[in-house]
């Protein structure tokens, strides 16, 4: 049998892990099961990635990058700020409708990582990457439109992502197309208002 290098085996194992965990859940993603999914020895997984956590990290990174790439392809380069935010929401929501299993698996992996000390740095890196990419898109949209942001681009990005993550989970759990459309429109309106300083922020007694 021809030798397959670790570099060649890596994407194969990531795909096998994604296919298996999408079908059966994160709990089923043991190195033995992933190896069986691809039809290789369990030792191949450890040789290629070291540990199961390293493989999970690679899966999260790939799923995230695929979604980010798809969204960036849908981002306009010649629109105003409001139009750009609306287009980004539409592109993101398209990934939820087109690839719900990717969003579900990322959510499951995130919850798993919260309880796995060796994956917490990966989880932080995942959210930092998504936040940074969203911050950059908001900054570019504001600069292009000559729009002075009333809040930092990162704060706006965090607000946007918090709302979108919630709507995504609702869609996966209890879909309602009419309600989702209204909520997406409200999210865009709130983001635009927040960015323009037209959103009254109510003091919240957190202490």
């Amino acid at each position: 049998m021809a030798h397959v290098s670790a570099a060649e085996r890596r994407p194969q194992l990531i795909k096998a892990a994604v296919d298996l965990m999408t079908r059966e859940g994160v709990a089923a993603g043991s190195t033995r099961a992933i190896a069986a999914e691809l039809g290789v020895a369990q030792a191949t997984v450890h040789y290629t990635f070291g540990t199961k956590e390293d493989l999970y990290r690679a899966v999260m990174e790939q799923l995230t990058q695929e979604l980010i790439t798809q969204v960036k392809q849908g981002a306009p380069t010649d629109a105003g700020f409001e139009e750009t935010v609306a287009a980004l929401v539409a592109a993101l929501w398209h990934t939820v409708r087109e690839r719900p299993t990717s969003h579900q698996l990322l959510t499951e992996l995130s919850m798993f990582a919260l309880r796995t000390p060796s994956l917490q740095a990966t989880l932080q890196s995942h959210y930092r990457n998504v936040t940074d990419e969203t911050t950059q898109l908001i900054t570019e949209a504001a600069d292009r439109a000559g729009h002075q942001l009333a809040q930092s681009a990162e704060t706006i990005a965090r607000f946007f992502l918090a709302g979108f993550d919630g709507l995504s989970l609702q869609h996966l759990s209890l879909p309602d197309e009419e309600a989702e459309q209204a909520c997406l429109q409200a999210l865009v309106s709130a983001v635009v208002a927040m960015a323009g300083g037209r959103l009254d922020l109510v003091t919240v007694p957190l202490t």
Side-chain angles (χ1 to χ4, degrees):
M1 182 179 295
H3 172 71
V4 178
S5 68
E8 293 176 286
R9 189 65 80 190
R10 183 180 176 86
Q12 296 173 353
L13 284 169
I14 291 174
K15 183 180 185 304
V18 169
D19 290 346
L20 174 66
M21 290 190 287
T22 295
R23 190 173 66 246
E24 301 183 25
V26 173
S30 66
T31 55
R32 182 184 300 276
I34 292 168
E37 180 80 9
L38 186 59
V40 298
Q42 185 179 7
T44 301
V45 180
H46 293 290
Y47 172 75
T48 305
F49 287 97
T51 66
K52 179 176 71 174
E53 286 75 16
D54 291 330
L55 175 55
Y56 280 18
R57 182 179 300 111
V59 168
M60 289 185 72
E61 290 173 351
Q62 175 155 315
L63 288 174
T64 301
Q65 193 55 53
E66 288 175 353
L67 293 173
I68 287 174
T69 298
Q70 189 170 346
V71 170
K72 291 180 77 170
Q73 288 174 346
T77 59
D78 57 354
F81 185 78
E82 181 176 333
E83 292 80 6
T84 299
V85 174
L88 288 174
V89 167
L92 263 175
W93 196 249
H94 183 70
T95 69
V96 174
R97 299 289 298 273
E98 184 182 69
R99 301 180 56 184
T101 55
S102 294
H103 286 271
Q104 180 177 341
L105 182 53
L106 271 173
T107 299
E108 291 178 16
L109 284 167
S110 296
M111 294 303 102
F112 178 80
L114 281 174
R115 292 188 175 274
T116 308
S118 59
L119 279 175
Q120 287 179 4
T122 297
L123 183 61
Q124 290 179 349
S125 177
H126 161 69
Y127 276 100
R128 171 49 58 192
N129 186 25
V130 172
T131 300
D132 287 348
E133 291 283 356
T134 306
T135 299
Q136 180 181 348
L137 288 171
I138 289 173
T139 300
E140 291 174 351
D143 290 345
R144 185 170 58 245
H147 193 83
Q148 182 67 40
L149 298 176
Q151 298 281 342
S152 72
E154 181 172 334
T155 297
I156 297 169
R158 283 174 171 269
F159 174 71
F160 167 74
L161 290 170
F164 193 87
D165 285 348
L167 288 173
S168 299
L169 187 56
Q170 284 187 4
H171 175 75
L172 293 172
S173 306
L174 189 65
D176 183 324
E177 185 173 348
E178 184 176 350
E180 290 162 1
Q181 182 67 27
C183 289
L184 288 168
Q185 291 173 336
L187 177 60
V188 172
S189 298
V191 168
V192 172
M194 184 181 190
R198 301 188 304 276
L199 185 66
D200 293 332
L201 299 180
V202 178
T203 300
V204 179
L206 298 177
T207 58

